Amino acid sequence: MKPKITLKDIARELEVSISTVSKALKNSEEISRDTKEKVQAFAKLYNYKPNNIAISLKNKRTKNIGVVIPDIVHHFFTTVIRGIEKYANAKGYNVIVCLSEESFDKEVINMEMLANGSIDGFIMSLSSETQQKGDFNHLKEVTDQGIPVVLFDRITNEIDCDKVIIDDELGAYMATKKFIEQGKKNIALITTDDYLSVSKARTQGYLKALKESELGVDQSKILKLPSMEMDETSIKKFMDSQELDAVLCVNEIFAVYSMRLAQQKGLKIPEDISFIGFTDGLLSKYANPSLTVVSQHGEKMGEVSAKMLIDKVESEEEEETYQTKILEPTLVIRDSIFH
Amino acid sequence: MKPKITLKDIARELEVSISTVSKALKNSEEISRDTKEKVQAFAKLYNYKPNNIAISLKNKRTKNIGVVIPDIVHHFFTTVIRGIEKYANAKGYNVIVCLSEESFDKEVINMEMLANGSIDGFIMSLSSETQQKGDFNHLKEVTDQGIPVVLFDRITNEIDCDKVIIDDELGAYMATKKFIEQGKKNIALITTDDYLSVSKARTQGYLKALKESELGVDQSKILKLPSMEMDETSIKKFMDSQELDAVLCVNEIFAVYSMRLAQQKGLKIPEDISFIGFTDGLLSKYANPSLTVVSQHGEKMGEVSAKMLIDKVESEEEEETYQTKILEPTLVIRDSIFH
DNA sequence: TATTAACACGAAACCGTTTTCGTAATACTT
DNA sequence: AAGTATTACGAAAACGGTTTCGTGTTAATA
């Protein structure tokens, strides 16, 4: 057990003042060559490293960023974290991850825990409960205190801050259009209630593509589930009640599950029925057949979010100008549709 | 913009000393009822919250725990994090996540970043590069400084600290035994080189089960890949060169991919060939057919690790006694084998 | 030789808390 | 009335750094 050594220890040992040690270690011009060498050698020998907490207190900067997300088991959030981590780490920042588990209360508690000095800024995606309630006071409090916030994916327009999203409407539009081009006539949508900002946008994209075509919209071909939670019964009932030849799903799990239902009915994919999902995860890649998806570029989204946040944290000016970055989704073509 | 209020602000405003404010807020007996009420009311009005950093500096306790893992995109690690987060959060701790990306250097850098006061302890799983090199000096340094460490899943015996693993050997043994019981004769293993502690243990379980049976071991039925990275070519070559009726894989991706290869050859699962993987992730559940797996109970593992760490962090005594918890794996039976 | 400049360093404030200890003012004994 | 106990508070140190400013010593200048 060799406990951490402090400036005071070095100062005592070398019989100089703490200030001298501090300056010597920073190679200050003020200190003589001799003293600097002595101090630096001693510091290296005893492996001196400044205490982060003390520096944070002095600088009022922690070099930590708080990430509050609804879930970590979903591939999309996982890749976003990776993107954040990558950028933040390169800039010398650490990432504190908090999970709201889709709960408003947990989101609030997590933010309060972090907002008292632990972090320099937040990157977050709203819990479904928060979007449903429409209560964003916890965000307002934080921004009021001057703590920078970047919202990604699940955002709200009621808070002024930087935002990063993908063009979900465009993604769904592209996917639906693809179905139409390939001659599909009965195109279903499996989504969730509109309170989730992403689902709403995706539904709009789907509707837009259909309205532009001669097919038109058939409300009975839209299944709105209460949440992103898997609900096998509802999906099965929906799939059984319809004559479909294409299905667009708001995530990859819904898509893979409904593919299986179709296969069980003896339908051939993609000849009889085609599928497209959202989120380019492991599931899509290794499903059988592999699933065509709208990729959300989670890692990129994480990097962009981290860059926006850190830029704001490190900028001197107090300009209150916020931007919303919209990333382009891309269609990753796999075997669940015609190539 | 209303910046954070400090004790000093309250003291100035109320014309009392900082100490009085501090004590009043803690409901100290020393302070008169009048003063306490006045201070508390003022604090509530201005939403005073103590600064975490200052408290950390004073207490030499951050209430942060550092989690260093090789990867976050894999389901197993993701569930472990969730388990850690859940337990840690309930205890008032925050979780700082760092990714080593299987790189030794990143692991070292991450630990050094955190070891200078940012965290009270580490929970980690070694990067493959670290296990390969066998260099654990960064861990030794940290434990030498008296920082508690809990190692999970990918561990080493060269460091004295608490450890949490599942009985990988048993898991593989159970799976292989299952194949044998179901009359399978040509049982393959797709794994990685032995430097990965988990792969080594799993291989041993596989070998043990075969040696106990009349089948015996056939080295040509074992494929050792250089890492957990997907290597489609090698797996395809291996699967093509063998007459197999059962395959045990060291993760779910290998398993799902080799299932697909078998299906492409026209084999029926599980009649002609059965599959078992490790890791009970989304992939296993939604694969077609669904994949039987050895579940590692990641979330449980995370909770146990967090509990061990926090117990150590909060214990007064400096007992240098370490334990290794071994969790039992379970077989989750799905359609890739006979029920 | 007196004045000034350069050099090398230390004292002290500061970041925001907690906590020990000292003490003035009041209340209680005898 | 003198001594003691209690109450209610403040001063100051401490956590581990950074940074400003002051100062004693030496060297350069007039």
Side-chain angles (χ1 to χ4, degrees):
Chain A
M1 255 284 283
K2 40 171 183 182
K4 286 254 112 176
I5 190 178
T6 70
L7 285 188
K8 196 197 279 188
D9 298 329
I10 303 182
R12 186 177 0 86
E13 219 59 37
L14 261 36
E15 298 185 304
V16 292
S17 76
I18 294 180
S19 357
T20 302
V21 177
S22 176
K23 289 169 192 163
L25 290 174
K26 301 191 113 61
N27 242 315
S28 159
E29 295 297 322
E30 258 181 276
I31 306 298
S32 71
R33 175 170 298 281
D34 270 11
T35 310
K36 279 197 278 196
E37 278 172 3
K38 199 173 57 175
V39 171
Q40 287 171 6
F42 191 93
K44 175 165 285 176
L45 181 61
Y46 286 93
N47 194 29
Y48 169 79
K49 295 278 167 52
N51 179 308
N52 289 333
I53 300 291
I55 293 181
S56 294
L57 183 58
K58 183 92 243 261
N59 296 350
K60 296 168 153 251
R61 293 278 239 59
T62 60
K63 288 246 168 190
N64 287 155
I65 78 187
V67 175
V68 182
I69 53 175
D71 192 355
I72 199 179
V73 174
H74 280 56
H75 187 269
F76 169 66
F77 286 120
T78 260
T79 51
V80 173
I81 292 191
R82 191 203 246 169
I84 295 175
E85 232 279 330
K86 190 184 272 181
Y87 188 87
N89 242 27
K91 287 280 186 177
Y93 283 75
N94 282 124
V95 175
I96 300 185
V97 174
C98 287
L99 307 179
S100 64
E101 317 259 13
E102 304 287 10
S103 143
F104 174 79
D105 290 342
K106 279 205 184 178
E107 191 173 290
V108 173
I109 291 173
N110 279 327
M111 290 194 70
E112 283 180 352
M113 268 187 84
L114 295 180
N116 301 117
S118 299
I119 49 102
D120 296 338
F122 283 103
I123 296 179
M124 54 186 303
S125 194
L126 299 171
S127 81
S128 61
E129 215 188 330
T130 304
Q131 288 205 324
Q132 198 163 15
K133 278 182 93 155
D135 181 348
F136 309 108
N137 284 315
H138 50 308
L139 291 176
K140 213 156 269 164
E141 288 237 332
V142 161
T143 51
D144 276 356
Q145 280 172 33
I147 302 178
V149 173
V150 174
L151 242 33
F152 75 88
D153 199 54
R154 302 219 211 135
I155 68 171
T156 174
N157 289 325
E158 302 203 11
I159 296 291
D160 279 332
C161 65
D162 289 325
K163 287 157 199 165
V164 186
I165 50 175
I166 67 153
D167 193 335
D168 279 293
E169 182 176 332
L170 176 61
Y173 177 82
M174 284 160 46
T176 311
K177 198 101 185 195
K178 195 84 184 177
F179 283 146
I180 297 170
E181 283 165 15
Q182 299 191 343
K184 300 294 182 179
K185 303 287 180 206
N186 297 296
I187 304 171
L189 171 68
I190 301 182
T191 181
T192 74
D193 272 350
D194 281 348
Y195 65 83
L196 272 180
S197 55
V198 292
S199 296
K200 188 173 176 187
R202 289 169 196 176
T203 303
Q204 279 164 353
Y206 163 86
L207 294 175
K208 184 174 169 214
L210 284 179
K211 280 177 192 155
E212 283 180 14
S213 76
E214 67 241 11
L215 296 173
V217 174
D218 175 358
Q219 287 294 341
S220 73
K221 292 202 169 58
I222 300 177
L223 172 62
K224 290 200 182 183
L225 297 169
S227 80
M228 287 284 182
E229 282 284 287
M230 188 56 186
D231 178 352
E232 305 196 351
T233 323
S234 301
I235 294 182
K236 188 157 171 35
K237 220 170 91 188
F238 176 75
M239 292 287 293
D240 283 346
S241 70
Q242 305 276 329
E243 282 295 324
L244 303 170
D245 55 14
V247 183
L248 173 63
C249 295
V250 90
N251 64 35
E252 52 175 3
I253 303 184
F254 292 173
V256 169
Y257 181 70
S258 44
M259 276 209 297
R260 197 200 286 184
L261 292 176
Q263 284 171 325
Q264 284 170 359
K265 285 206 282 186
L267 297 175
K268 286 241 173 308
I269 304 171
E271 294 81 357
D272 302 330
I273 182 166
S274 294
F275 291 86
I276 300 182
F278 269 77
T279 302
D280 186 18
L282 285 178
L283 217 46
S284 314
K285 203 183 229 153
Y286 293 105
N288 196 357
S290 58
L291 178 69
T292 294
V293 291
V294 180
S295 169
Q296 303 168 86
H297 304 292
E299 193 158 338
K300 174 85 186 184
M301 204 152 177
E303 282 175 44
V304 170
S305 303
K307 177 166 172 32
M308 285 176 90
L309 183 68
I310 292 177
D311 281 353
K312 190 127 290 180
V313 165
E314 297 189 341
S315 91
E316 315 289 293
E317 319 134 54
E318 286 209 22
E319 7 95 42
E320 299 242 335
T321 124
Y322 304 110
Q323 41 177 333
T324 297
K325 282 237 169 96
I326 302 175
L327 271 39
E328 289 259 317
T330 45
L331 218 48
V332 180
I333 309 285
R334 297 210 184 85
D335 300 342
S336 66
I337 69 167
F338 295 116
H339 280 207
Chain B
M1 254 284 282
K2 40 172 183 181
K4 285 254 113 176
I5 190 176
T6 69
L7 287 188
K8 195 196 278 189
D9 299 329
I10 303 182
R12 185 176 3 85
E13 221 57 37
L14 261 36
E15 299 185 303
V16 292
S17 76
I18 294 179
S19 356
T20 301
V21 177
S22 175
K23 290 169 191 164
L25 290 174
K26 300 191 114 59
N27 242 315
S28 160
E29 295 298 321
E30 259 183 278
I31 305 298
S32 72
R33 174 168 300 280
D34 270 11
T35 310
K36 279 197 278 197
E37 278 172 4
K38 199 174 57 177
V39 172
Q40 286 170 9
F42 190 92
K44 175 166 286 177
L45 181 61
Y46 285 93
N47 194 29
Y48 169 79
K49 295 277 166 54
N51 179 307
N52 289 332
I53 299 293
I55 292 181
S56 294
L57 182 58
K58 185 93 247 268
N59 297 348
K60 295 171 151 249
R61 294 276 240 58
T62 60
K63 288 250 169 184
N64 286 155
I65 77 187
V67 175
V68 183
I69 52 176
D71 192 354
I72 201 179
V73 175
H74 280 56
H75 188 268
F76 169 66
F77 287 118
T78 258
T79 53
V80 173
I81 292 191
R82 191 203 246 171
I84 294 174
E85 233 278 330
K86 190 184 273 182
Y87 188 89
N89 243 27
K91 288 278 184 177
Y93 283 74
N94 282 122
V95 175
I96 301 185
V97 174
C98 288
L99 308 179
S100 63
E101 317 258 12
E102 304 287 10
S103 140
F104 174 80
D105 289 342
K106 279 206 184 176
E107 192 173 291
V108 172
I109 291 172
N110 280 327
M111 291 194 70
E112 283 179 352
M113 267 186 84
L114 295 180
N116 300 117
S118 299
I119 49 102
D120 295 338
F122 283 104
I123 296 179
M124 53 185 304
S125 195
L126 299 171
S127 79
S128 60
E129 215 187 332
T130 304
Q131 289 205 324
Q132 197 162 17
K133 278 182 94 158
D135 182 348
F136 307 110
N137 283 314
H138 51 308
L139 291 176
K140 212 156 271 165
E141 288 235 334
V142 162
T143 53
D144 275 357
Q145 281 173 32
I147 303 178
V149 172
V150 174
L151 242 33
F152 75 89
D153 198 55
R154 302 219 210 137
I155 66 172
T156 174
N157 290 324
E158 302 203 12
I159 295 291
D160 280 331
C161 65
D162 289 324
K163 286 155 200 166
V164 186
I165 50 175
I166 65 152
D167 194 334
D168 279 293
E169 182 175 331
L170 176 62
Y173 177 82
M174 284 160 46
T176 311
K177 198 100 184 196
K178 195 85 184 176
F179 283 147
I180 297 170
E181 284 165 15
Q182 298 190 343
K184 299 294 183 178
K185 304 290 180 203
N186 297 298
I187 305 171
L189 171 68
I190 300 182
T191 181
T192 74
D193 272 349
D194 281 347
Y195 66 83
L196 271 180
S197 55
V198 292
S199 295
K200 190 174 173 186
R202 290 168 195 176
T203 303
Q204 279 165 354
Y206 163 85
L207 294 175
K208 185 174 168 213
L210 284 180
K211 281 177 191 154
E212 282 179 16
S213 76
E214 67 241 10
L215 297 174
V217 174
D218 176 358
Q219 287 295 339
S220 72
K221 292 202 168 59
I222 301 177
L223 173 61
K224 290 200 181 183
L225 296 169
S227 82
M228 286 283 181
E229 283 283 288
M230 188 55 186
D231 178 352
E232 305 196 349
T233 322
S234 300
I235 294 183
K236 186 158 172 35
K237 221 169 92 188
F238 176 75
M239 293 285 292
D240 282 346
S241 70
Q242 305 276 329
E243 280 296 322
L244 304 170
D245 56 14
V247 183
L248 174 62
C249 295
V250 89
N251 65 34
E252 54 176 1
I253 303 183
F254 292 173
V256 169
Y257 182 69
S258 42
M259 278 209 297
R260 194 198 289 184
L261 291 177
Q263 285 171 324
Q264 284 170 359
K265 284 206 283 185
L267 298 175
K268 285 244 174 305
I269 302 172
E271 295 82 356
D272 301 331
I273 183 167
S274 295
F275 291 86
I276 300 183
F278 269 76
T279 303
D280 186 17
L282 286 178
L283 216 46
S284 314
K285 202 181 232 154
Y286 294 103
N288 197 359
S290 59
L291 178 68
T292 295
V293 290
V294 179
S295 169
Q296 305 167 88
H297 302 292
E299 192 157 339
K300 174 85 183 183
M301 204 153 178
E303 283 177 43
V304 171
S305 303
K307 177 166 172 32
M308 286 176 90
L309 183 69
I310 292 177
D311 281 352
K312 189 126 292 179
V313 165
E314 296 189 342
S315 91
E316 313 290 292
E317 319 135 53
E318 285 211 22
E319 6 97 42
E320 297 244 334
T321 123
Y322 302 111
Q323 41 177 333
T324 297
K325 284 239 169 95
I326 302 176
L327 271 39
E328 289 260 316
T330 44
L331 218 49
V332 180
I333 308 285
R334 297 209 184 87
D335 301 341
S336 65
I337 69 167
F338 295 117
H339 281 207

